């Protein structure tokens, strides 16, 4: 399928026509190409999520690779990195190849498996990092996310060992002893609500330790979901010292605060927890000035019953793929902190670079694989269950006014979203087969 | 009043209203027939996810004195999966036509979740949620203080200027939280005394004075000393070294008892660990209000049930 995208506004603000021919960007329209009127729409490079929980294998009642891929495409993503905390855990070549193959087969987005750092996420022995790196899934990001690699020696060895294969460790920074039973940000509000506190120091102390370890062994380190002002200070300090560290922030930590816990509505229960207003502002500033490199969703779907209960009993996590771009627009772009070129960087080129995903370094260049999303930033909507496309309904934005709407997503040159609606699964899967047969190395 | 979930959201007028109705209810207890027909035909359910014979029984007596139908629904150890317990049970109770649900739950906020869930239409009465609040305990404590101070002339009176010192595991205490908010609303001045490990974070915003030194607190002439139960297991999580040291530093022993004014009230929400946070002499002295607290608990719970159920569709 070939496209002429007429009158799109590029991230740099200029207006242009875009041509997609045989899966790549071209300099002119192919004969018979489908025209998409993009007047008033912003063309962004396909979004790349470095932190997605797709739940398959093992937790298919929460999400599957197919449903999560559809949620991603609906949110404007063309690639996601699937976290390793599945069952079985993605700690062997077999599991990551399975996840990779299913993703490719469904075709809505490029699914890049993340490998576990330790066997079974148990924090005791390294997983088969070399085998996963060398597998068909070509794993480059390793993470025990959901759990922290808390043992200092093991973390040191992991950083060194992953360096051997050119990968990166993505650390879920949470000192486990300081957060036993933790339910929400520790502070005046947790004291009042009688919910066990998750202190900022539990995140900041691990980040401080790990940036020093990364410096010691000369390895790359990525910090997942930075959530506190203190963490921002530590990352800023580490970067100033030339330490090879990158950091992500979630959309929800850019917008929401701990005050929402007052309702005891467990849709607002997430790990790391929502923090104070001051933290939100520090995170926004850090994303704007580059201290925090990227936005990543930490999309964490759960079945209804895991959230329809008392706060202490509820699961941690929020879905985020479908709302991510809107929330970043609201918290960052509309707030005047970054522009659309920055959005393209923090949501596409930079996460692709950290994840070692090729083809995202320059957007819209002729000959480059056509991954893009067309976004109507002027749209306004009250976010509802109808805006969700995955299995998880645990969004914190229900009933909230959010700007923007993904109008079209094109993955590897074929559409996954058109006119704001997902293209059906059979069509996308067939297009994916065509793409793969033309690009056997992909 | 639609629900009673916390004392934080009780204004002075509502709080005094409950205390005054409790005075009327106490009068019933002194009559030969200790029963009012007020809540005949109403169904009150005791929904206890956590064991507490004292509180459950107190609500049971209160409901029965008002002629309500009282059903004890023990949800503890039930086979429903952990996450679904509250919702399933609530819907079951709704189907049974419960007018009020008295809920005790180990999770903070459980009563509020129940009240705002839409799963059930009944009035929700928080009988203790995790480490959050236990509003009827605070109400009965305030009632007890007022009664000691003003006797038969208690009606309409606040606790203006009263000095109340609460000692012990504030961090894990729903009784302390409910007392802090209610006593402050009633005009009392609250002091919290505990080791720093057992104080919640961010106390700056609380309407209290905070201290670590029980001796200093005892010697500052308090009107009320409220001792909280300390769980010995806390020492395993390094909140304090051992029970001996805790008792020496923060226990109300005979020496500290002797230094209190003769009319200083010694309170304890029970159950007490004699010899740990409170000496036997302190627990049994004339200063101790422990038995009055039990009796007053019934009056307060009658008042709250009455206000929630008898005046349905009525005031506030
Ligand atoms: Zn995580």
């Amino acid at each position: 399928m070939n496209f002429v995208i007429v009158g799109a506004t590029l991230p740099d603000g200029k207006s242009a026509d875009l041509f997609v021919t045989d899966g790549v960007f071209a300099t002119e329209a192919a004969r018979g190409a489908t025209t998409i009127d993009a007047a008033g729409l912003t063309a962004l490079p396909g979004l790349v999520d470095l932190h997605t929980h797709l739940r398959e294998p093992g937790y298919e009642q929460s999400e599957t690779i197919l449903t999560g891929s559809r949620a991603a495409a609906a949110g404007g993503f063309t690639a996601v990195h699937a976290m390793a905390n599945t069952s079985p855990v993605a700690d062997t070549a077999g599991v990551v190849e399975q996840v990779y193959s299913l993703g490719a087969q469904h075709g809505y987005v490029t699914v890049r498996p993340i490998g576990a750092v330790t066997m079974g996420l148990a924090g005791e022995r390294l997983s088969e990092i070399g085998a996963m790196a060398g597998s068909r899934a070509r794993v480059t990001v390793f993470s025990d996310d959901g759990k922290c690699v808390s043992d200092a020696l093991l973390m040191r060895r992991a950083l060194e060992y992953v360096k051997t294969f050119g990968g990166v460790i993505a650390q879920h920074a949470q000192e486990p002893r300081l957060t036993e039973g933790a339910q929400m940000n520790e502070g005046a509000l947790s004291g009042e609500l009688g919910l066990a506190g998750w202190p900022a120091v539990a995140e900041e102390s691990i980040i401080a330790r790990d940036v020093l370890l990364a410096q010691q062994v000369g390895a790359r380190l990525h910090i997942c979901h930075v959530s506190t002002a203190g963490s921002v200070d530590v990352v800023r300090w580490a970067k100033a010292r030339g330490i090879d560290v990158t950091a992500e922030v979630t959309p929800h930590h850019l917008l929401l605060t701990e005050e929402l816990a007052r309702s005891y509505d467990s849709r607002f229960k997430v790990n790391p927890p929502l923090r104070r207003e001051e933290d939100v502002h520090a995170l926004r500033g850090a994303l704007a000035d580059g201290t925090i490199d990227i936005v990543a969703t930490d999309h964490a779907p759960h079945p209804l019953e895991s959230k329809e209960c008392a706060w202490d009993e509820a699961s941690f996590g929020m879905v985020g793929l479908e709302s991510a771009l809107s929330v970043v627009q609201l918290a960052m772009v509309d707030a005047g902190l970054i522009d659309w070129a920055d959005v393209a960087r923090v949501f596409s080129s930079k996460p692709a670079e950290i994840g070692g995903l090729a083809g995202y370094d320059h957007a819209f260049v002729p000959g480059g694989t056509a991954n893009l999303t067309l976004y109507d930033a002027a749209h306004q909507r009250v976010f509802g269950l109808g805006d969700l496309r995955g299995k998880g309904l645990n969004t914190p934005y229900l009933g909230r006014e959010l700007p923007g709407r993904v109008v079209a997503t094109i993955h590897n040159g074929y559409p996954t979203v058109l006119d704001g609606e997902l293209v059906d699964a059979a069509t996308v899967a067939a297009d994916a087969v065509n793409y793969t047969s033309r690009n056997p190395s992909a | 009043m639609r629900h009673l979930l916390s004392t934080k959201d009780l204004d002075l007028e509502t709080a005094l209203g409950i205390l005054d109705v409790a005075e009327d209810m106490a009068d019933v207890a002194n009559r030969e027939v200790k029963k009012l027909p007020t809540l005949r035909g109403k169904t009150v359910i005791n929904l206890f996810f956590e064991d507490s014979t004292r509180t459950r029984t107190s609500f049971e007596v209160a409901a029965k004195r008002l002629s309500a139908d009282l059903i004890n629904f023990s949800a503890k150890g039930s086979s429903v999966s952990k996450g679904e317990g509250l919702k399933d049970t609530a819907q079951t109770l709704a189907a049974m036509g419960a007018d009020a649900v008295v809920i005790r739950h180990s999770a903070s906020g459980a009563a509020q979740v129940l009240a705002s869930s839409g799963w059930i239409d009944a009035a929700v009465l928080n009988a203790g949620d995790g480490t959050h609040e236990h509003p009827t305990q605070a109400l009965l404590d305030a009632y007890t203080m007022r009664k000691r101070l003003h006797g038969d002339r208690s009606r309409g009176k606040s606790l203006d200027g009263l000095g109340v010192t609460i000692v012990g595991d504030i961090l894990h205490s729903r009784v302390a939280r409910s007392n802090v908010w209610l006593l402050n609303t009633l005009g009392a001045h609250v002091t919290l005394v505990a080791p720093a490990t057992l104080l919640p974070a961010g106390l700056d915003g609380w309407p209290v004075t905070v201290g670590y030194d029980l001796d200093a607190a005892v010697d500052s002439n308090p009107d009320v000393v409220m001792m909280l139960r300390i769980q010995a297991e806390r020492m395993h999580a390094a909140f304090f070294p051992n029970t001996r040291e805790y008792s020496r530093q923060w226990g109300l022993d005979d020496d500290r008892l002797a230094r209190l004014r003769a009319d200083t009230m010694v309170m304890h929400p029970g159950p007490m660990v004699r010899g740990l946070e409170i000496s036997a002499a302190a627990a049994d002295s004339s200063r101790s209000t422990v038995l009055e607290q039990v009796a007053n608990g019934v009056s307060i719970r009658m008042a709250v049930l009455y206000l929630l159920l008898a005046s349905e569709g009525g005031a506030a």
Side-chain angles (χ1 to χ4, degrees):
Chain A
M1 208 172 190
N2 299 325
F3 292 98
V4 182
I5 298 162
V6 181
T9 306
L10 300 183
D12 63 9
K14 293 186 186 120
S15 181
D17 298 342
L18 295 170
F19 311 101
V20 176
T21 305
D22 293 336
V24 297
F25 287 110
T27 51
E28 55 182 29
R31 205 162 349 161
T34 305
T35 299
I36 297 177
D37 177 10
L41 303 182
T42 302
L44 292 168
L47 307 186
V48 177
D49 193 17
L50 199 64
H51 193 147
T52 316
H53 295 276
L54 291 180
R55 304 299 191 209
E56 187 179 355
Y59 303 104
E60 290 84 358
Q61 75 277 19
S62 298
E63 193 83 283
T64 65
I65 291 167
L66 176 60
T67 60
S69 295
R70 285 166 63 88
F77 291 87
T78 53
V80 299
H81 291 73
M83 273 300 173
N85 61 341
T86 50
S87 178
V89 169
D91 56 9
T92 60
V95 177
V96 293
E97 287 192 344
Q98 184 199 356
V99 170
Y100 172 78
S101 303
L102 283 169
Q105 199 180 311
H106 298 313
Y108 278 97
V109 289
T110 301
V111 174
R112 306 202 73 229
I114 291 174
V117 177
T118 67
M119 291 298 291
L121 309 178
E124 286 160 8
R125 290 181 300 127
L126 290 182
S127 61
E128 294 174 12
I129 285 166
M132 290 189 276
S135 75
R136 275 195 309 121
R138 283 175 291 180
V139 176
T140 56
V141 182
F142 296 88
S143 181
D144 275 3
D145 183 65
K147 289 185 176 171
C148 180
V149 182
S150 62
D151 182 285
L153 179 64
L154 192 63
M155 185 60 182
R156 176 205 164 125
R157 295 276 187 256
L159 285 164
E160 289 174 307
Y161 194 71
V162 167
K163 183 173 81 161
T164 312
F165 299 96
V168 63
I169 302 263
Q171 174 72 295
H172 169 118
Q174 175 179 8
E175 211 294 313
R177 287 279 283 154
L178 286 173
T179 51
E180 278 174 19
Q183 296 291 328
M184 68 169 290
N185 180 48
E186 179 170 306
L189 189 60
S190 66
E192 179 192 327
L193 296 180
L195 292 171
W198 199 130
V201 62
E203 175 173 306
E204 293 154 9
S205 60
I206 291 291
I207 296 176
R209 181 199 75 177
D210 287 355
V211 294
L212 291 172
L213 282 174
Q215 180 183 42
Q216 183 75 35
V217 303
R220 267 171 80 200
L221 170 70
H222 177 73
I223 309 292
C224 297
H225 42 55
V226 167
S227 72
T228 75
S231 296
V232 167
D233 289 340
V234 176
V235 172
R236 189 173 282 132
W237 174 86
K239 287 190 165 183
R241 284 180 57 128
I243 297 171
D244 196 0
V245 61
T246 53
E248 76 191 28
V249 62
T250 69
H252 48 270
H253 286 111
L254 289 171
L255 187 66
L256 309 177
T257 70
E258 61 171 357
E259 273 300 312
L260 291 161
R262 236 179 228 295
S263 63
Y264 291 102
D265 182 338
S266 63
R267 284 185 302 123
F268 303 114
K269 178 174 172 177
V270 66
N271 193 23
L274 301 178
R275 303 287 188 183
R276 306 162 306 161
E277 190 83 40
E278 301 94 291
D279 296 301
V280 168
H281 285 294
L283 294 168
R284 289 181 182 185
L287 183 63
D289 72 18
T291 302
I292 291 178
D293 300 84
I294 65 167
V295 176
T297 67
D298 196 5
H299 177 80
H302 289 291
L304 211 52
E305 58 269 24
S306 305
K307 288 290 191 181
E308 282 192 324
C309 51
W311 182 283
D312 279 8
E313 297 173 340
S315 301
F316 288 98
M318 305 169 164
V319 294
L321 287 168
E322 301 97 326
S323 51
L325 191 49
S326 290
V327 172
V328 168
Q329 182 190 341
L330 178 62
M332 299 298 297
V333 182
D334 292 354
L337 295 169
I338 62 175
D339 58 25
W340 290 105
D342 296 319
V343 172
R345 174 173 48 83
V346 303
F347 242 148
S348 182
S349 60
K350 190 69 185 178
E353 181 193 321
I354 295 168
L357 174 62
Y360 284 83
D361 41 353
H362 296 292
F364 313 121
V365 286
T369 305
N371 287 300
L372 77 138
T373 186
L374 294 175
Y375 183 69
D376 180 3
H379 188 82
Q380 280 289 330
R381 60 175 163 176
V382 174
F383 199 81
L385 289 178
D387 293 307
L388 299 173
R389 290 293 178 273
K391 279 194 182 179
L393 305 180
N394 50 306
T395 170
Y397 306 112
L398 279 190
R400 195 180 267 265
E401 179 121 351
L402 291 181
R405 170 175 168 263
V406 171
V407 175
T409 307
I410 291 178
H411 174 228
N412 289 341
Y414 59 85
T416 55
V417 174
L418 280 178
D419 296 327
E421 289 300 327
L422 283 164
V423 177
D424 71 90
T427 304
V428 170
D431 286 340
V433 169
N434 281 337
Y435 173 79
T436 315
S437 61
R438 281 202 314 271
N439 300 274
S441 67
Chain B
M1 207 160 57
R2 172 86 176 90
H3 305 291
L4 178 64
L5 304 176
S6 76
T7 59
K8 185 127 202 270
D9 44 28
L10 287 182
D11 58 23
L12 179 61
E13 192 189 352
T14 312
L16 285 178
I18 296 170
L19 298 181
D20 288 353
V21 172
E23 293 283 341
D24 301 335
M25 297 300 171
D27 293 344
V28 176
N30 299 326
R31 302 195 318 203
E32 198 165 332
V33 179
K34 296 184 171 62
K35 212 161 166 157
L36 289 173
T38 323
L39 297 187
R40 185 163 293 148
K42 300 281 188 188
T43 302
V44 177
I45 306 220
N46 264 339
L47 177 58
F48 277 56
F49 288 86
E50 222 181 42
D51 258 345
S52 171
T53 311
R54 309 163 63 94
T55 307
R56 184 174 50 74
T57 308
S58 181
F59 274 106
E60 192 166 342
V61 172
K64 287 184 170 164
R65 284 203 182 146
L66 293 168
S67 305
D69 295 320
L70 186 283
I71 297 161
N72 280 310
F73 194 104
S74 173
K76 191 173 176 278
S78 70
S79 58
V80 284
S81 78
K82 205 181 167 199
E84 287 175 305
L86 193 54
K87 183 184 180 185
D88 283 354
T89 313
Q91 289 177 332
T92 304
L93 301 184
M96 288 173 182
D99 296 295
V101 176
V102 177
I103 178 174
R104 160 69 62 97
H105 200 289
S106 60
S108 298
Q112 187 174 324
V113 168
L114 186 65
S116 54
S117 63
W119 301 326
I120 185 168
D121 201 27
V124 175
L125 212 162
N126 183 5
D129 61 327
T131 55
H132 177 224
E133 286 226 30
H134 190 357
T136 57
Q137 178 69 45
L139 285 161
L140 76 88
D141 290 340
Y143 180 93
T144 302
M145 294 174 206
R146 198 171 76 154
K147 204 74 181 160
R148 276 250 174 153
L149 289 171
H150 302 293
D152 291 343
R153 296 180 313 284
S154 290
R155 278 186 183 75
K157 294 208 168 66
S158 70
L159 297 175
D160 237 351
L162 197 71
V164 181
T165 299
I166 305 178
V167 186
D169 187 356
I170 313 292
L171 178 64
H172 300 98
S173 175
R174 51 195 174 211
V175 175
R177 284 177 182 73
S178 284
N179 263 298
V180 164
W181 311 127
L182 180 67
L183 291 171
N184 179 60
T185 299
L186 291 171
H189 180 83
V190 180
T191 301
L192 302 178
V193 177
T197 45
L198 292 175
L199 289 167
L203 280 175
D204 305 352
W206 291 32
V208 297
T209 305
V210 180
Y212 304 132
D213 184 349
L214 179 56
D215 285 308
V218 161
D219 294 336
S220 68
N221 192 30
D223 299 305
V224 179
V225 177
M226 183 183 295
M227 305 305 296
L228 300 175
R229 189 163 83 104
I230 185 78
Q231 290 181 287
E233 308 84 69
R234 300 280 180 219
M235 67 187 174
H236 301 307
F239 286 103
F240 52 89
N242 55 43
T243 52
R244 193 174 58 245
E245 171 148 328
Y246 182 89
S247 183
R248 205 184 299 132
Q249 298 278 343
W250 293 283
L252 185 59
D253 58 18
D254 295 351
D255 171 60
R256 290 177 179 130
L257 180 71
R259 277 149 51 203
L260 293 172
R261 278 196 335 255
D263 65 345
T264 294
M265 290 174 238
V266 172
M267 306 187 75
H268 195 297
M272 291 183 280
V273 188
R274 288 166 195 251
L276 180 46
E277 75 265 6
I278 188 165
S279 71
D284 298 331
S285 79
S286 62
R287 295 180 179 91
S288 168
T289 62
V290 171
L291 291 178
E292 289 149 74
Q293 285 170 273
V294 175
N296 295 340
V298 174
S299 304
I300 281 291
R301 284 158 187 143
M302 287 173 76
V304 172
L305 286 171
Y306 172 82
L307 289 166
L308 287 175
L309 293 178
S311 51
E312 259 180 2

